[in-house]
Amino acid sequence: MQQRPRVSLPQFQLYLMSEPSAVPVLRLGLVVPKRQVRRAVGRNLIKRWARVLVREHADTLLALNPGHSVDLLVRIRAPLPTDRAHRRASFDILRAGFSRLVR
């Protein structure tokens, strides 16, 4: 399994791995520990954000390594802010991380 360098952000880490496959598949792994995000609402929000961004970048992620299955891992590094304005900023940071990953 080939692993590309990870993208480290203040609150997130993104890993992209690929392996040869006859049928290319995109899989998403999420690590959102209770220690970092105490409330289930916050954990579900992060998972929803990641799924939205994977849908947006699915074609690009699969095109990075033609003939390979792609595994993407999103890991939380720091607690999520509680107010809406900073949460929106966290989503924008995650979106920028996805953009850096597919470049």
Side-chain angles (χ1 to χ4, degrees), residues 2-3 5 12 26 29 31 36 40 44 55 61 63 77 89 96-97 103:
Q2 298 174 339
Q3 181 176 353
F12 306 98
L26 176 61
V31 181
Q36 298 296 342
N44 292 336
R55 277 188 224 113
L61 287 167
R77 295 178 64 186
R103 277 195 277 153

Side-chain angles (χ1 to χ4, degrees), residues 61-81:
L61 287 167
L62 287 172
L64 287 174
N65 287 327
H68 286 69
S69 288
V70 177
D71 296 333
L72 175 66
L73 178 65
V74 178
R75 198 171 155 243
I76 304 301
R77 295 178 64 186
L80 203 72

Side-chain angles (χ1 to χ4, degrees), residues 16-80:
L16 188 65
M17 296 155 279
S18 64
E19 64 182 21
S21 175
V23 180
V25 177
L26 176 61
R27 296 186 304 177
L28 173 65
L30 298 161
V31 181
V32 187
K34 276 187 182 179
R35 190 175 349 162
Q36 298 296 342
V37 185
R38 296 296 286 166
R39 300 192 62 150
V41 173
R43 291 191 303 273
N44 292 336
L45 180 66
I46 292 169
K47 292 173 189 177
R48 205 173 317 129
W49 288 350
R51 288 185 197 113
V52 165
L53 293 173
V54 166
R55 277 188 224 113
E56 286 179 8
H57 296 286
D59 295 334
T60 310
L61 287 167
L62 287 172
L64 287 174
N65 287 327
H68 286 69
S69 288
V70 177
D71 296 333
L72 175 66
L73 178 65
V74 178
R75 198 171 155 243
I76 304 301
R77 295 178 64 186
L80 203 72

